[in-house]
Amino acid sequence: MAAGPAAPRVLNVNVGVLGHIDSGKTALARALSTTGSTAAFDRAPQSRARGITLDLGFSCLRTALPPQLGPGPGELQFTLVDCPGHASLIRTIIGGAQIIDLMMLVIDVTKGMQTQSAECLVIGQIACQKMVVVLNKIDLLPEGKRQSAIEKMTKKMQKTLENTKFCGCPVVAVAAKPGGPEAPESENPLGVSELIEVLKSQAYLPSRDPSGNFLMAVDHCFSIKGQGTVMTGTVLSGSVSLGDNVEIPALKVTKKVKSMQMFHTPVTYAMQGDRVGICVTQFDPKLLERGLICTPESLHTIHAAIISLKKIQYFRGALQTKAKFHITVGHETVMGRVMFFSPAPADFNKEIQEKVFDFEKDYLYQEEYLSKDSNSSEENKENDQSEVQLPRQQWALLEFEKPVTCPKLCLVIGSKLDTDIHANTCRLAFHGVLLQGMEDKNYMETFLPKLKVYKLKHKEGQVERVMDDYSVIGRSLFKKETNIQIFVGLKVKLSTGEDGIIDGGFGQSGKFKIRIPVASTCMPCIELSAQGPAWHLRAYSSPFHCLMD
């Protein structure tokens, strides 16, 4: 018996709709969408009451598969993620940006770039590869001057994006809801069909991998009487099928998958990148407004983490060790304290290790993240070191005020969300990748001693006398009660330029012997300095170590 025709394939691409408050994002998502999800178009009563988007909204647009995405019949599904634009909801925006493949930056054409538009652009640069700029509300421009105003704003946006990864991206002018929110529905949107064509041209085959543990970011949760509790979200990794058991780590429970839907269509399987609603046996939906669900026992709750990170260039000011930041990991944002560290100066140009952290290596403690505008760089400039050398990779130890549940290698964003929301400044400070989490509450005792972070110490002393061509006696570096043996092997530099090595103590008064591999011509009382990293790991009472240079 001949097999029936195969169902046409549906390729899902997640499109983030981001921009400043009141730029018309929700109206644009509505104009584009053919199907709304349970969380679309400001359905929440609080959103309707306040007239702004308070949470992520989801809807979808289906269109024919464009030629660049492969031969054969099929549909392209754009899942539209409508992110709130209000400054105080940046946590939600960051959570939404982590699940998108393509971004639409919505700009009110009468106002141009605004504070939250700039923050959304920064998040887009961190989280996705492609962007389309949408100039909305063109119906508010006088008809006679409309085209010239659109061209002027298009050039302005292209100039703004010149030094970003989105340089040269398409700019499309639309009026998603001509006449504004109160206008009759009979008013047709302007430019939306052109926007759909541009979205199709920008669509690409995102990397999707069904293997590995299932992990899903849940953004809405509700009950259906007689059926169970539904969790809707985006599959971040792996896949899920009917009958599978899934764990809800926040509630410490495991539930069985009873049914699944994608935009009101029943399905039996979902994989990485899919937007899906999963119905499980009943529990109180108020206990899980958002969070993660996963393959049982595949996620861990951590109290601290090591991350590889980069400073966000638009953040003003230094990133200081011991400072507190709002740390966003997935859909969770918690307060955390940071300690920055780098490779030893000799390793500044070593290859970047993107997915691993090497506990066997020695690292250098930094008072702040090293960048061109950091205080340490300014000091080097003042000391006539015109070319400041910066490491290719830097790390931070994050200590969370409350534990977080997250996968390894997830995106981490550090922000100063307590900054005045009306200030014209970027609140996003750094972004990075979580390399190692610490599950033990007592990580200070059990885990941190494995982390070899050293602090450079600098002391100056004097040469007391020359012993022979290859050794001198030094003084004024150590107290008489100091155990000089632990400093043996450290380098010293004489003011005449020779390098030496501390060879041991000399007598009982804190004097020491220096071995100089090359014959010295120095005279008594010439200054020298001893420099060597002392083991430093925050303010913990730990043994003192010296590192052979």
Side-chain angles (χ1 to χ4, degrees):
M1 185 175 170
R9 68 186 179 113
V10 177
L11 173 67
N12 182 63
V13 175
N14 296 314
V15 181
V17 188
L18 287 83
H20 195 86
I21 186 170
D22 287 337
S23 55
K25 299 180 298 299
T26 302
L28 180 64
R30 185 184 281 110
L32 284 168
S33 300
T34 52
T35 309
S37 75
T38 53
F41 315 137
D42 292 344
R43 289 188 182 177
Q46 305 98 310
S47 290
R48 289 199 299 272
R50 287 178 61 184
I52 61 170
T53 302
L54 295 176
D55 212 331
L56 300 174
F58 294 85
S59 53
C60 86
L61 158 69
R62 281 196 172 186
T63 180
L65 204 63
Q68 82 265 21
L69 297 180
E75 281 189 309
L76 174 60
Q77 175 176 284
F78 290 112
T79 296
L80 304 172
V81 186
D82 175 16
C83 296
H86 197 275
S88 62
L89 303 170
I90 192 81
R91 296 172 175 81
T92 308
I93 300 170
I94 294 170
Q98 293 179 73
I99 56 174
I100 64 176
D101 306 306
L102 172 64
M103 169 178 162
M104 282 194 291
L105 182 63
V106 185
I107 302 290
D108 181 335
V109 73
T110 65
K111 295 175 182 173
M113 283 289 281
Q114 294 170 274
T115 308
Q116 273 69 64
S117 340
E119 286 188 336
C120 291
L121 174 58
V122 171
I123 293 168
Q125 285 200 89
I126 295 166
C128 71
Q129 296 306 312
K130 284 194 167 189
M131 184 175 81
V132 174
V133 175
V134 181
L135 303 179
N136 195 17
K137 302 190 179 182
I138 59 169
D139 58 303
L140 300 182
L141 299 170
E143 213 163 318
K145 299 178 181 176
R146 186 174 295 173
Q147 194 53 41
S148 63
I150 289 169
E151 286 171 9
K152 188 177 177 183
M153 186 58 74
T154 299
K155 284 178 183 171
K156 209 170 180 179
M157 289 305 303
Q158 287 168 340
K159 182 77 178 166
T160 301
L161 300 174
E162 242 175 22
N163 296 317
T164 73
K165 67 153 71 166
F166 302 124
C167 179
C169 77
V171 181
V172 184
V174 306
K177 187 78 169 69
E182 307 306 319
E185 293 299 324
S186 55
E187 286 282 347
N188 289 324
L190 305 174
V192 169
S193 55
E194 290 86 347
L195 176 57
I196 290 172
E197 289 307 310
V198 169
L199 288 174
K200 285 168 69 174
S201 73
Q202 294 298 301
Y204 63 98
L205 287 168
S207 176
R208 305 290 195 226
D209 183 5
S211 64
N213 290 323
F214 167 68
L215 178 65
M216 176 168 136
V218 174
D219 42 63
H220 293 92
C221 194
F222 56 92
S223 289
I224 298 178
K225 199 171 181 180
Q227 291 191 45
T229 301
V230 176
M231 299 173 286
T232 65
T234 304
V235 182
L236 300 178
S237 66
S239 60
V240 63
S241 299
L242 279 182
D244 283 356
N245 285 323
V246 294
E247 183 186 355
I248 309 170
L251 309 184
K252 295 183 169 58
V253 296
T254 297
K255 297 283 181 179
K256 189 170 187 175
V257 177
K258 295 174 68 180
S259 63
M260 296 194 292
Q261 284 192 8
M262 289 187 195
F263 294 103
H264 311 301
T265 303
V267 293
T268 59
Y269 173 84
M271 64 176 281
Q272 184 186 45
D274 285 336
R275 172 86 193 153
V276 66
I278 295 177
C279 183
V280 299
T281 45
Q282 196 82 39
F283 69 89
D284 184 356
K286 290 177 185 170
L287 298 174
L288 185 78
E289 287 183 9
R290 63 179 39 191
L292 296 169
I293 61 173
C294 60
T295 300
E297 298 182 7
S298 64
L299 275 192
H300 304 287
T301 300
I302 60 174
H303 300 267
I306 293 170
I307 67 166
S308 171
L309 79 157
K310 286 185 178 177
K311 183 181 177 182
I312 290 168
Q313 67 184 95
Y314 307 105
F315 181 78
R316 293 177 191 162
L319 303 180
Q320 302 280 359
T321 280
K322 296 184 184 175
K324 286 186 176 181
F325 291 88
H326 292 86
I327 308 295
T328 303
V329 185
H331 284 274
E332 279 192 84
T333 299
V334 298
M335 291 301 293
R337 191 185 296 274
V338 298
M339 180 191 82
F340 298 105
F341 57 100
S342 72
D347 294 334
F348 272 17
N349 289 318
K350 286 274 176 77
E351 282 298 309
I352 291 173
Q353 301 287 312
E354 288 184 350
K355 296 185 178 180
V356 293
F357 182 79
D358 189 347
F359 283 94
E360 297 305 311
K361 286 191 174 177
D362 299 307
Y363 299 93
L364 189 59
Y365 170 89
Q366 299 292 353
E367 292 288 353
E368 62 182 349
Y369 180 90
L370 298 178
S371 62
K372 286 178 183 175
D373 55 354
S374 64
N375 291 333
S376 51
S377 299
E378 292 300 321
E379 285 168 18
N380 286 340
K381 283 178 193 170
E382 286 172 18
N383 295 332
D384 293 333
Q385 295 181 24
S386 52
E387 201 171 309
V388 179
Q389 194 184 18
L390 297 173
R392 292 180 65 183
Q393 185 170 21
Q394 295 181 63
W395 299 268
L397 170 68
L398 299 181
E399 295 179 273
F400 305 119
E401 288 194 353
K402 63 176 189 178
V404 296
T405 302
C406 59
K408 200 175 173 184
L409 299 178
C410 66
L411 174 64
V412 178
I413 296 179
S415 319
K416 285 284 189 182
L417 299 183
D418 44 5
T419 306
D420 179 7
I421 60 174
H422 302 295
N424 185 22
T425 184
C426 178
R427 295 171 297 160
L428 309 174
F430 61 83
H431 67 97
V433 176
L434 194 148
L435 300 177
Q436 182 73 49
M438 302 173 205
E439 296 173 54
D440 192 340
K441 261 187 187 174
N442 301 313
Y443 64 90
M444 289 187 187
E445 290 78 34
T446 59
F447 194 93
L448 287 188
K450 299 175 190 172
L451 181 60
K452 301 175 191 171
V453 177
Y454 295 82
K455 191 172 186 178
L456 282 176
K457 298 285 187 183
H458 178 93
K459 290 190 83 176
E460 289 194 350
Q462 286 149 351
V463 172
E464 183 169 89
R465 66 178 186 271
V466 177
M467 295 280 287
D468 55 45
D469 285 350
Y470 297 97
S471 56
V472 297
I473 302 300
R475 62 179 172 84
S476 304
L477 273 186
F478 307 111
K479 295 176 182 175
K480 65 178 181 180
E481 61 269 24
T482 302
N483 177 10
I484 293 175
Q485 277 306 115
I486 62 175
F487 294 92
V488 169
L490 283 186
K491 276 187 181 179
V492 296
K493 192 166 191 74
L494 277 67
S495 56
T496 46
E498 293 89 352
D499 289 320
I501 296 168
I502 295 177
D503 214 18
F506 185 81
Q508 303 298 314
S509 59
K511 294 177 184 176
F512 54 97
K513 190 176 178 182
I514 300 165
R515 179 166 47 84
I516 300 166
V518 179
S520 172
T521 58
C522 67
M523 298 295 292
C525 299
I526 294 175
E527 286 191 354
L528 59 87
S529 65
Q531 192 169 315
W535 198 66
H536 180 94
L537 197 49
R538 298 279 310 272
Y540 312 133
S541 53
S542 302
F544 183 89
H545 282 232
C546 279
L547 178 66
M548 290 291 287
D549 201 321

